[in-house]
Amino acid sequence: MINIVLLEPEMPANTGNIGRTCCATGTRLHLIEPMGFKINDKMLKRAGLDYWDKLDVTVYDCLDDFFEKNPDAVGNMYMATTKAKHKYSDVSFSKDAYIMFGKESAGIPEEILVEYEHTAIRIPMNQDIRSLNLSNSVAIILYEALRQNDFFSMQTEGNLHRLHWNEE
């Protein structure tokens, strides 16, 4: 199962949207304090709609708490940042990869990024743009990781319901 890690998220709507994406994909969500909202924030619930109770989510007191409770993340962590040299599409995500995203206003602190420079990844974008929306960035990278793992057991085909019109 892929793991999405949000380091100090600030906007409840983004986190709610990411939670909904995690529900739709069977992905675990890890939230690292401090956050810019309370977990019961109505904006969080509105963005996550009625899926929040189905979400596999854990909240951690700090980054050290996260690593202490997830020792398998240490050698299996990708850092999504605009400061990376590698594109997200150039790496091979394992079935249990951890992908970390930083807070909306500042991203992942550089003192953390230097420890993960070899697994820091970026989404290509025009030079004049600072960054993409956090929930969009999560969706882009998460779906690439899922694609590489053949979407696990997700539904990959739909069915059209053909209408039969009466001819008169």
Side-chain angles (χ1 to χ4, degrees):
M1 174 181 301
I2 303 287
N3 297 271
I4 295 298
V5 182
L6 302 184
L7 178 63
E8 303 177 4
E10 298 167 316
M11 300 176 72
N14 280 337
T15 302
N17 287 331
I18 292 165
R20 184 175 181 171
T21 299
C22 287
C23 281
T25 59
T27 302
R28 281 193 188 109
L29 179 60
H30 304 266
L31 303 175
I32 301 173
E33 296 271 9
M35 296 187 285
F37 53 89
K38 300 282 185 225
I39 214 69
N40 61 359
D41 191 302
K42 70 178 181 177
M43 291 296 292
L44 178 77
K45 301 277 171 102
R46 183 180 301 156
L49 294 173
D50 55 348
Y51 300 106
W52 199 256
D53 63 328
K54 297 170 181 57
L55 180 61
D56 183 354
V57 61
T58 306
V59 179
Y60 304 89
D61 292 332
C62 62
L63 188 58
D64 288 339
D65 183 36
F66 166 78
F67 280 118
E68 183 179 303
K69 293 177 178 163
N70 297 280
D72 54 327
V74 174
N76 200 15
M77 177 71 74
Y78 292 91
M79 300 286 180
T81 174
T82 58
K83 298 173 182 170
K85 294 179 181 171
H86 307 289
K87 296 187 302 270
Y88 73 98
S89 55
D90 290 341
V91 300
S92 295
F93 294 98
S94 67
K95 292 182 182 237
D96 57 351
Y98 288 79
I99 309 167
M100 182 179 285
F101 297 82
K103 61 183 167 184
E104 291 89 341
S105 65
I108 300 170
E110 286 202 24
E111 58 267 17
I112 297 171
L113 290 175
V114 295
E115 295 179 37
Y116 291 88
E117 186 175 1
H118 62 286
T119 59
I121 54 175
R122 68 173 289 116
I123 300 170
M125 64 187 91
N126 288 333
Q127 269 183 309
D128 300 339
I129 303 300
R130 187 178 66 244
S131 64
L132 293 171
N133 173 275
L134 179 61
S135 61
N136 291 336
S137 296
V138 169
I140 290 167
I141 295 175
L142 174 57
Y143 267 87
E144 173 61 15
L146 293 167
R147 183 196 66 77
Q148 289 182 15
N149 287 283
D150 202 28
F151 298 102
F152 296 103
S153 61
M154 296 168 58
Q155 181 179 349
T156 58
E157 293 182 9
N159 294 309
L160 290 174
H161 299 286
R162 300 193 186 273
L163 298 177
H164 299 284
W165 297 95
N166 291 336
E167 294 183 18
E168 295 182 28

